[in-house]
């Protein structure tokens, strides 16, 4: 008798437990509600331009003239899908490297038709662009240099160094700078300021 | 004895590598510490304004380099030269005058590494501004600092935000696709195609180019969407390149250009094969001709 009651109680308990498990999700879901949230992420368009080390040119002239050159790495980043244009010009109308009353004049070569530097001139080059040589390397007072250079254009007459057609990630352009001097060049610290400009296409 | 000598030489070699590694690390660290970088956002702004109205707006400058610097802000004319759209920041075009409407609260700022600055400006459209397009560019330009201690070239860097402003009123919008071209024979990647659109009105519009490249079986190999502004009285050549094009293949290139109410689609085939393949083919064909001629 007792065993039968116990067995029935156990069965009832089990049945109740199973019922509770079956109903609980329904009860839980009946009490829940949902809502949608729209997540928007806006990515702005950007363009950046970066340079690192200063460009210093140290010349030890000889009577025949020597060339010293150094490189400048210009890095552009943009997420604009049509890319960017990089230009170069002097920051003013005076395109000379100046030390007091003494100067290096801007070389007469151009981006399309660069030529070897003459004594007392300075210029720039971008390997494999325009009419420049396929490659350039650092020259230190090289008396037999044959590398080709162009003169920096004055402000307002900028030259396009590079133009791209798609977004750029750490896109680098190496710009080489050089000056040539012989012993008639007065000693001193000569300098000029140039401007790199990056705008999107 | 020989072993001692070799051991000594090896020790010296590896010791030298370690020392060289230390110095190169120092050189790299020194170069990184002089990194000067200026970032501008956004890269362009479009406005539709009434003559005589004023609008306040701003842009951001980020110093993501390693050194602090001073930068100045100013506006210049903006237009373009040629179909390649070389920028012209000194244009005398009557439409490149939006720079005259721009003024700044401050014209020079100092920014530290990691800092972001919001630069406000005001656009005051002149009362007599003609309806149609007006263009300019706002520059943020780093300033060279300090006196050089060696013969050197000091570099200033500037980034530009192009202003596309349309003054409301009666103006013309019009344009046409001058050319959609894909050369059939192309010898090396990238596979190049271009579209030229001419703007015949006096306000700019955006051209949306969609290019899809598929093989002979219709499998899509590449697709790209780009948007180009085209300024009034100009033709713009828009070049699309598939840089990952394979060495050999015959492809179908479909280009669609949408602007204003115009949609123009062109479909052309391109044969990608290096030039030596044509030489080999020519030699084989000539050899075959000679062979059959001899057989006869």
């Amino acid at each position: 008798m007792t065993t039968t009651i116990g067995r029935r109680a156990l069965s009832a308990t089990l049945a109740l437990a199973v019922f509770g498990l079956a109903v609980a999700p329904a009860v839980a879901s009946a009490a829940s509600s949902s809502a949608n949230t729209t997540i928007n992420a806006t990515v702005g368009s950007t363009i950046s331009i970066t340079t690192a080390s200063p460009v210093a040119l140290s010349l030890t002239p000889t009577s025949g003239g020597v060339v010293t050159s150094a490189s400048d790495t210009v890095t552009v980043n943009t997420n604009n899908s049509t890319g960017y244009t990089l230009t170069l010009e002097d920051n003013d109308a005076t395109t000379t490297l100046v030390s007091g009353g003494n100067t290096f004049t801007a070389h007469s070569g151009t981006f399309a038709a660069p030529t070897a530097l003459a004594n007392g001139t300075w210029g720039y080059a971008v390997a494999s662009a325009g009419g420049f040589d396929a490659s350039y390397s650092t020259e230190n007072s090289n008396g037999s240099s044959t590398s080709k250079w162009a003169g920096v254009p004055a402000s307002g007459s900028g030259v396009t160094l590079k133009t791209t057609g798609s977004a750029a990630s750490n896109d680098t352009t190496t710009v080489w700078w050089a000056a040539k001097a012989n012993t008639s060049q007065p000693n001193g610290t000569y300098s000029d300021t140039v401007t790199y400009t990056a705008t999107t296409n | 004895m020989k072993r001692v000598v070799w051991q000594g030489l090896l020790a010296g070699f590896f010791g030298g590598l370690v020392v060289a590694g230390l110095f190169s690390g120092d050189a790299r660290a020194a170069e990184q510490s002089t990194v000067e970088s200026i970032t501008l956002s956004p890269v362009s702004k479009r406005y539709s304004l009434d003559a005589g109205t004023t609008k306040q707006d701003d842009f951001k400058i980020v110093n993501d380099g390693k050194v602090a610097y001073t930068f100045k802000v100013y506006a210049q004319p903006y237009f373009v030269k040629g179909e390649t759209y070389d920028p012209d920041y000194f244009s005398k075009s009557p439409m490149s005058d939006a720079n005259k409407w721009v003024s700044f609260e401050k014209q020079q700022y100092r920014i530290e590494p990691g800092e972001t600055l919001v630069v406000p400006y005001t656009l005051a459209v002149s009362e007599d501004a003609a309806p149609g397009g007006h263009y300019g560019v706002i520059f943020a330009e780093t300033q060279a600092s300090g006196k050089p201690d060696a013969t050197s070239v000091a570099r200033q860097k500037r980034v530009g935000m192009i202003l596309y402003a349309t003054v409301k009123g009666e103006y013309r919008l019009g344009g046409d696709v001058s050319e959609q071209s894909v050369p059939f024979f192309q010898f090396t990647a990238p596979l190049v195609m271009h579209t030229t659109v001419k703007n015949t009105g006096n306000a700019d519009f955006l051209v949306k180019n969609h290019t899809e490249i598929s093989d002979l079986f219709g499998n899509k190999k590449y697709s790209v969407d780009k948007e180009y502004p085209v300024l009034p009285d100009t033709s713009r050549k828009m070049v699309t390149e598939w840089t990952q094009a394979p060495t050999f293949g015959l492809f179908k290139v479909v280009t669609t250009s949408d602007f204003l109410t115009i949609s123009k689609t062109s479909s052309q085939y391109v044969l990608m094969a290096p030039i030596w393949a044509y030489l080999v083919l020519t030699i084989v064909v000539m050899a075959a001709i000679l062979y059959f001629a001899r057989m006869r």
Side-chain angles (χ1 to χ4, degrees):
Chain A
M1 179 75 173
T2 310
T3 308
T4 306
I5 292 172
R7 209 181 291 148
R8 283 182 182 173
L10 182 61
S11 300
T13 307
L14 283 170
L16 264 174
V18 170
F19 176 74
L21 278 172
V23 167
V27 171
S29 62
S32 70
S33 63
S34 63
N36 293 329
T37 299
T38 302
I39 310 295
N40 290 313
T42 304
V43 178
S45 57
T46 66
I47 186 164
S48 73
I49 184 168
T50 304
T51 57
S53 314
V55 178
L57 304 169
S58 175
L59 298 105
T60 305
T62 62
S63 57
V66 299
V67 171
T68 288
S69 67
S71 66
D72 187 18
T73 302
V74 183
T75 305
V76 176
N77 285 275
T78 181
N79 58 356
N80 183 59
S81 65
T82 52
Y84 71 94
T85 295
L86 178 68
T87 64
L88 167 70
E89 60 198 269
D90 201 286
N91 81 317
D92 56 26
T94 307
T95 56
T96 49
L97 279 180
V98 176
S99 172
N102 304 310
T103 60
F104 282 85
T105 56
H107 182 49
S108 58
T110 63
F111 184 89
T115 54
L117 290 175
N119 284 319
T121 66
W122 72 295
Y124 77 95
V126 179
S128 299
F132 293 113
D133 298 330
S135 65
Y136 287 78
S137 56
T138 303
E139 297 179 87
N140 290 308
S141 297
N142 182 358
S144 54
S145 173
T146 57
S147 49
K148 294 180 190 168
W149 305 89
V152 176
S155 176
S157 304
V159 61
T160 297
L161 298 183
K162 186 177 203 173
T163 187
T164 69
S166 56
S169 176
N170 292 326
D171 193 53
T172 58
T173 302
T174 301
V175 183
W176 289 87
W177 297 95
K180 183 172 184 179
N182 63 7
T183 47
S184 68
Q185 188 80 35
N187 68 308
T189 301
Y190 296 75
S191 68
D192 192 14
T193 303
V194 299
T195 302
Y196 295 116
T197 303
T199 52
T200 53
N201 295 329
Chain B
M1 179 64 182
K2 272 189 186 176
R3 191 192 293 178
V4 170
V5 169
W6 276 112
Q7 284 173 347
L9 284 171
L10 280 171
F13 175 71
F14 285 114
L17 281 178
V18 169
V19 170
L22 286 171
F23 277 112
S24 67
D26 283 348
R28 269 198 301 278
E31 188 172 302
Q32 284 298 307
S33 69
T34 62
V35 169
E36 184 180 86
S37 182
I38 182 167
T39 298
L40 166 76
S41 181
V43 301
S44 64
K45 292 248 184 173
R46 306 191 76 83
Y47 300 100
S48 179
L49 302 159
D50 289 306
T53 57
T54 298
K55 178 154 180 74
Q56 313 282 344
D57 209 340
D58 56 61
F59 57 90
K60 288 189 186 134
I61 295 295
V62 181
N63 181 348
D64 53 344
K66 301 292 183 191
V67 298
Y69 53 82
T70 298
F71 69 91
K72 67 177 186 182
V73 290
Y74 57 94
Q76 277 190 210
Y78 176 81
F79 214 69
V80 294
K81 292 182 279 193
E83 288 188 343
T84 52
Y85 258 48
D86 289 336
D88 183 357
Y89 309 125
F90 290 85
S91 173
K92 303 262 189 300
S93 163
M95 289 176 279
S96 58
D97 62 347
N99 60 299
K100 297 177 186 170
W101 306 341
V102 177
S103 60
F104 300 93
E105 289 174 11
K106 264 175 68 173
Q107 269 150 350
Q108 197 155 282
Y109 294 82
R110 180 87 181 155
I111 189 168
E112 300 296 321
E115 190 178 1
T116 298
L117 289 178
V118 175
V119 179
Y121 64 93
T122 301
L123 207 60
V125 183
S126 55
E127 295 276 354
D128 58 352
H134 297 263
Y135 309 98
V137 59
I138 291 178
F139 282 122
E141 179 182 296
T142 65
Q143 300 300 287
S145 60
K147 282 192 174 178
D149 53 6
T151 292
S152 59
V153 180
R155 296 97 73 235
Q156 293 180 166
K157 298 175 288 293
R158 63 180 183 181
V159 280
M161 180 178 78
I162 301 170
L163 305 174
Y164 298 91
T166 302
V167 173
K168 295 177 187 174
E170 284 189 24
Y171 58 86
R172 289 175 291 109
L173 277 173
D176 193 18
V177 176
S178 310
E179 188 181 14
Q180 281 176 315
S181 169
V182 186
F184 178 76
F185 292 105
Q186 297 199 35
F187 307 117
T188 183
L191 190 158
V192 179
M193 63 229 93
H194 75 260
T195 301
T196 303
V197 171
K198 185 178 168 113
N199 185 331
T200 56
N202 62 347
D204 65 283
F205 52 77
L206 286 172
V207 176
K208 292 183 184 176
N209 271 359
H210 173 73
T211 301
E212 201 159 297
I213 301 175
S214 54
D215 61 21
L216 287 181
F217 304 104
N219 301 312
K220 188 166 79 176
K221 294 296 184 183
Y222 176 72
S223 79
V224 66
D225 291 282
K226 291 194 181 181
E227 209 168 70
Y228 300 82
V230 182
L231 301 187
D233 286 338
T234 66
S235 285
R236 182 165 191 170
K237 185 175 180 178
M238 296 160 279
V239 178
T240 304
E241 295 181 347
W242 180 23
T243 53
Q244 306 296 317
T247 309
F248 286 96
L250 184 61
F251 301 99
K252 184 177 177 183
V253 179
V254 179
T255 302
T256 303
S257 300
D258 292 304
F259 57 95
L260 301 175
T261 57
I262 297 167
S263 180
K264 195 159 180 183
T265 300
S266 79
S267 177
Q268 297 172 71
Y269 285 90
V270 174
L271 177 63
M272 290 291 299
I275 201 159
W276 58 259
Y278 295 101
L279 291 172
V280 167
L281 186 64
T282 305
I283 291 168
V284 167
V285 167
M286 288 185 66
I289 291 170
L290 281 171
Y291 173 76
F292 286 113
R294 276 195 178 178
M295 289 292 286
R296 284 187 183 175

